């Protein structure tokens, strides 16, 4: 398993990704720049400030969340299965001064024992996995009783008109955005997985295409 600390940046790791995946990883931060400036960065900060103890992030991507974690976490582990994204997480980590590890691991198969994690973080991840249910079962497995899932996800619109456009554009968007399902009803999947939702807020991702603007953010607890 690939393990990266803040002192090692495996530049060659990106060679394990396809051409478009490498291009998308390079474009990811510029594509999100306006949305981050228009409020997404603040939402990340507000959510991740709640992380406690041993914290595991699912699909860390290019490491956009790194700047927002509390400094007093017991441990921070960033998991990312895609090589091109993982190398960018490692580079950002190297320049951040944050104490963390980057692991080559998928959200469906987390390399942690049952009940050993205090906080799991999912930001714009549950839309990209093939099926969210196995991921959510894995989250429930690794969380300690009382542990929390912190989530920030774009979801299916409550507007019938916009939801219809999400359905029409789902296939080309998924090809462009590396598997992202713009029409997925993620909130209902979280509710059905066995975790208990403590709080959820609905909002809009300003500065982004309409089909990915509907957002939810909140917390769910393992009882």
């Amino acid at each position: 398993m690939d393990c990266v600390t803040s002192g090692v940046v495996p530049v060659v790791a990106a060679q394990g990704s396809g051409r478009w995946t490498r291009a998308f990883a390079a474009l990811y931060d510029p594509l999100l720049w306006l949305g981050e400036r228009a409020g997404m960065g603040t939402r990340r900060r507000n959510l991740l400030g709640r992380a406690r103890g041993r914290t595991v992030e699912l699909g860390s991507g290019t490491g956009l969340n790194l700047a927002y974690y509390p400094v007093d976490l017991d441990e921070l582990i960033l998991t990312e299965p895609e090589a091109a994204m993982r190398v960018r997480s490692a580079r950002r980590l190297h320049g951040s001064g944050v104490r963390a590890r980057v692991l080559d691991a998928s959200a469906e198969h987390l390399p942690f024992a049952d009940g050993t994690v205090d906080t799991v973080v999912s930001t714009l991840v549950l839309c990209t996995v093939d099926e969210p249910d196995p991921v959510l079962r894995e989250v429930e497995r690794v969380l300690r009783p009382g542990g929390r899932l912190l989530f920030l996800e774009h979801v299916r619109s409550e507007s019938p008109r916009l939801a219809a456009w999400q359905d029409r554009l789902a296939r080309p968007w998924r090809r462009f955005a590396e598997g992202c399902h713009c029409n997925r009803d993620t909130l209902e999947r979280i509710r059905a997985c066995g975790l208990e939702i403590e709080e959820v807020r609905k909002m809009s991702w300003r500065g982004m295409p309409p089909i990915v603007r509907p957002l939810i953010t909140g917390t769910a607890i393992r009882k």
Side-chain angles (χ1 to χ4, degrees):
M1 177 170 293
D2 186 53
C3 179
V4 181
T5 67
S6 59
V8 181
V9 182
V11 177
V12 296
Q15 295 177 359
S17 299
R19 182 177 299 176
W20 173 243
T21 300
R22 294 196 300 272
F24 187 76
L27 291 169
Y28 190 79
D29 286 6
L31 287 171
L32 266 61
W33 180 84
L34 182 58
E36 295 294 314
R37 293 289 298 271
M40 195 63 156
T42 299
R43 294 185 182 108
R44 293 180 194 269
R45 178 180 292 108
N46 292 341
L47 180 69
L48 300 179
R50 304 179 186 185
R52 297 291 183 270
R54 191 187 197 203
T55 297
V56 172
E57 180 176 339
L58 308 180
S60 62
T62 64
L64 282 174
N65 285 334
L66 268 173
Y68 305 118
Y69 282 106
V71 298
D72 59 349
L73 294 176
D74 293 342
E75 186 178 14
L76 176 58
I77 305 167
L78 311 180
T79 66
E80 173 53 58
E82 180 52 60
M85 288 291 192
R86 195 166 59 249
V87 71
R88 290 179 181 274
S89 278
R91 285 172 176 164
R92 183 169 260 134
L93 175 60
H94 181 65
S96 71
V98 176
R99 293 175 58 251
R101 290 187 290 153
V102 179
L103 293 184
D104 176 3
S106 71
E108 294 89 348
H109 302 286
L110 296 173
F112 311 111
D114 297 0
T116 58
V117 175
D118 298 292
T119 308
V120 174
V121 172
S122 177
T123 59
L124 309 178
V125 170
L126 294 175
C127 62
T128 63
V129 297
D130 290 337
E131 286 293 337
D133 296 354
V135 174
L136 291 166
R137 287 195 296 269
E138 189 73 342
V139 169
E140 185 180 20
R141 180 187 69 79
V142 302
L143 280 174
R144 294 187 173 101
R148 285 175 170 80
L149 168 66
L150 310 181
F151 58 87
L152 174 57
E153 302 283 348
H154 70 78
V155 295
R156 184 176 184 83
S157 176
E158 294 180 342
S159 161
R161 182 177 181 183
L162 181 51
W165 276 108
Q166 288 176 317
D167 291 339
R168 291 187 190 103
L169 297 174
R171 182 173 296 178
W173 180 262
R174 190 160 59 249
R175 289 197 298 267
F176 166 76
E178 286 293 287
C180 174
H181 297 73
C182 63
N183 59 348
R184 179 168 282 168
D185 192 350
T186 297
L187 181 57
E188 289 307 309
R189 307 296 278 270
I190 296 174
R191 283 177 170 150
C193 77
L195 298 172
E196 180 177 314
I197 291 184
E198 289 187 302
E199 176 188 356
V200 62
R201 296 180 59 195
K202 299 176 182 180
M203 54 196 64
S204 179
W205 192 0
R206 292 181 297 163
M208 297 299 290
I211 60 171
V212 294
R213 282 183 193 165
L215 288 175
I216 57 168
T217 184
T219 62
I221 188 170
R222 181 194 172 192
K223 290 297 188 180

